[in-house]
Amino acid sequence: MVNVIGIGYIGLPTALMMASHGVEVIGTDYNKELVSTLNAGKTTFKEKGLDELFKDALNAGVKFTTEYQKTDTYIVSVPTPYDKFSKKVDAVYVVAAVKDVLTVAPQGATLVIESTVSPGTIEKSVRPALVEGGRTDINLVHAPERIIPGNMVYELLHNNRTIGADDRAIGEKVKELYASFCQGEIVVTDIKTAEMTKVVENTFRAVNIAFANELAKICRHDNMDVYEIIKICNMHPRVNILQPGPGVGGHCISVDPWFLVGDYPSLAKVIDESMKTNDGMPDFVLNRIYEIMKDNGMTDITRVGLYGLTYKENVDDMRESPTLQLLESQERHLATGLKVYDPFIEKDVVNNQYHNIDDFLDAVDFVVIMVKHSEIIESQDKLKGKIVLDCHNVCNIEGVYHI
Ligand code: SAJ
């Protein structure tokens, strides 16, 4: 039996996937509300294919509880926040979960950490917890997750994976467990290499996005079309530039590269600059809003609306979202009043938030597309007659502004 600790964005799909492939799984989380929602037969976030997978897993006998289980295999998938000031990873939740597991884990149990951590964290923070608890019999493994929100179920099945272990034989055993559902290649390596690959993958994407954002700024400065330029460059066989946008959100691309900057400040220069470039994009958009208002003789900020609150399209996750960053920045400049709408966010989370696209569009003259949800792409006719700042180049309307 596998006990998955932390049944959030990663732990839940992982637990469900294993259960629906014949593994006996119990998910444990200290959040009672989350556990009771799952036990009531409801998923806790929206994700393509998750509800169907949930049904299959329930039929297969998956269980959820707040109690830690006595078993031979644990998978820890709790969040790893980072300290905004020092830019270092804070393994506090991982260590707390590990300590809780140690209270029940039998001799020789295997503890798989899926949470993203910076290279060396398992050695520096997790192993000491085992040593202090007198539990060096526990086998430590790191199996960093790789699934992308919006396509998690597909990617769980098809992505290649990395397993880092102290002991090759244990690594192979864990590989077998993941192979119960994973159709990709599974590489077994050591723990520190596994930690580093995970952070490097997200850093690669962050740096590439920063490059696109910097190009957008250069092109704006001299009135060139960044999208046309990227499109043509990408026709070169060895060039693959990503897309500029209003900023970078989510819990991974906007966070993980900072771990390398925090740990290697005098070495991680390109990464540091890239992260600053991405973090500066919401402010860049705010400046564009003021410029465009001026061009159009607009003075009333309350007639401007931000479309989208989530960190990317067609998900309901708002963590570190560019829209939230922009609103925060606006408040810092002592200016407020922007209206906001997102079809995926039902609760009121910010001021001046709308819950219906038509009411939102009636209330504004200027729409800023912060997130390219399918809804706005499919209903762009509704934007006719409005001033539009399209931060993702998804509108085919004449006269739209770009970043
Ligand atoms: N973005 C751009 N331009 C682009 C692509 C993305 O501005 O061309 C922005 C998005 O709008 C979003 C942010 O970047 O705000 C991040 O989105 P994403 O779709 O690139 O990635 P995440 O954060 O949802 O998921 C990433 C994935 N990592 C990589 O692709 C290397 C995923 O595979 C990881 O599992 C995940 O991080 C994680 O949990 O680490």
Side-chain angles (χ1 to χ4, degrees):
M1 189 257 280
V2 175
N3 189 194
V4 176
I5 315 293
I7 22 182
Y9 284 101
I10 298 302
L12 180 64
T14 304
L16 300 181
M17 191 55 89
M18 283 190 173
S20 65
H21 284 79
V23 180
E24 191 187 344
V25 180
I26 298 188
T28 297
D29 203 295
Y30 64 45
N31 182 341
K32 286 190 188 120
E33 207 184 305
L34 184 132
V35 169
S36 62
T37 305
L38 292 170
N39 280 332
K42 282 186 243 144
T43 46
T44 39
F45 62 95
K46 288 184 196 141
E47 174 65 36
K48 191 171 67 196
L50 189 69
D51 287 341
E52 292 79 358
L53 182 66
F54 188 51
K55 266 191 214 133
D56 290 349
L58 283 178
N59 288 336
V62 70
K63 291 193 177 65
F64 306 100
T65 168
T66 53
E67 308 285 319
Y68 294 85
Q69 306 297 307
K70 202 177 176 85
T71 185
D72 54 357
T73 310
Y74 298 88
I75 295 181
V76 175
S77 44
V78 295
T80 34
Y82 81 112
D83 184 294
K84 283 206 165 103
F85 183 68
S86 70
K87 311 284 188 213
K88 291 197 177 190
V89 67
D90 189 347
V92 56
Y93 296 131
V94 176
V95 172
V98 167
K99 284 187 175 161
D100 286 338
V101 164
L102 294 185
T103 61
V104 293
Q107 187 77 11
T110 297
L111 188 53
V112 183
I113 313 281
E114 276 220 19
S115 310
T116 304
V117 289
S118 59
T121 303
I122 293 189
E123 200 53 45
K124 268 182 288 188
S125 306
V126 179
R127 203 178 303 279
L130 301 188
V131 174
E132 276 160 32
R135 293 303 306 270
T136 46
D137 60 290
I138 299 285
N139 300 302
L140 265 185
V141 176
H142 183 40
E145 58 87 9
R146 267 182 172 168
I147 50 178
I148 196 149
N151 201 23
M152 286 177 150
V153 175
Y154 176 89
E155 290 207 351
L156 257 181
L157 286 168
H158 298 280
N159 284 2
N160 303 321
R161 297 206 59 137
T162 318
I163 309 272
D166 292 332
D167 177 332
R168 179 106 208 160
I170 295 291
E172 292 296 331
K173 250 179 89 183
V174 173
K175 174 176 170 174
E176 230 171 83
L177 171 66
Y178 279 87
S180 66
F181 66 88
C182 171
Q183 297 166 26
E185 197 174 319
I186 305 175
V187 177
V188 178
T189 183
D190 62 88
I191 290 180
K192 195 165 181 181
T193 303
E195 290 175 319
M196 186 64 173
T197 56
K198 167 68 197 196
V199 175
V200 168
E201 288 159 13
N202 281 347
T203 303
F204 171 83
R205 197 157 166 86
V207 170
N208 200 335
I209 295 169
F211 179 62
N213 285 333
E214 188 162 290
L215 290 180
K217 287 185 179 173
I218 294 172
C219 291
R220 169 64 36 226
H221 188 73
D222 254 343
N223 215 13
M224 293 179 272
D225 182 345
V226 70
Y227 300 104
E228 177 79 353
I229 290 164
I230 291 178
K231 191 176 93 195
I232 295 170
C233 291
N234 283 351
M235 291 166 82
H236 183 289
R238 280 171 298 282
V239 176
N240 185 15
I241 307 168
L242 292 178
Q243 293 299 309
V248 170
H251 187 63
C252 316
I253 311 270
S254 66
V255 175
D256 299 357
W258 283 125
F259 300 165
L260 294 177
V261 177
D263 285 347
Y264 309 99
S266 62
L267 301 173
K269 296 293 185 198
V270 172
I271 304 169
D272 188 18
E273 280 306 321
S274 300
M275 295 304 278
K276 287 179 185 149
T277 300
N278 290 340
D279 283 357
M281 289 314 286
D283 264 350
F284 183 75
V285 175
L286 196 52
N287 284 337
R288 276 298 279 150
I289 294 174
Y290 288 126
E291 250 171 43
I292 295 166
M293 283 178 71
K294 216 166 128 205
D295 278 359
N296 288 275
M298 246 184 109
T299 48
D300 185 1
I301 190 86
T302 66
R303 297 293 299 172
V304 181
L306 303 179
Y307 178 91
L309 258 169
T310 60
Y311 85 91
K312 67 174 186 181
E313 68 277 12
N314 305 327
V315 299
D316 64 359
D317 188 342
M318 291 187 297
R319 289 179 297 176
E320 324 281 335
S321 96
T323 305
L324 292 178
Q325 293 176 41
L326 191 153
L327 290 171
E328 213 181 283
S329 170
Q330 202 205 10
E331 265 172 38
R332 268 202 313 275
H333 291 104
L334 299 177
T336 47
L338 283 166
K339 300 205 157 83
V340 187
Y341 161 75
D342 191 306
F344 284 83
I345 306 300
E346 281 152 19
K347 279 191 195 151
D348 264 327
V349 288
V350 292
N351 292 330
N352 309 316
Q353 189 184 337
Y354 286 73
H355 296 280
N356 174 294
I357 188 166
D358 296 318
D359 294 345
F360 167 69
L361 292 177
D362 281 348
V364 299
D365 303 314
F366 178 179
V367 181
V368 184
I369 301 181
M370 294 293 288
V371 185
K372 52 176 178 186
H373 289 309
S374 305
E375 182 202 52
I376 194 68
I377 299 177
E378 283 155 18
S379 47
Q380 47 180 295
D381 275 0
K382 294 185 176 180
L383 295 173
K384 283 201 179 122
K386 307 267 179 214
I387 301 166
V388 177
L389 169 56
D390 176 2
C391 300
H392 292 280
N393 195 31
V394 289
C395 282
N396 300 315
I397 308 166
E398 197 136 327
V400 285
Y401 292 87
H402 293 113
I403 49 172

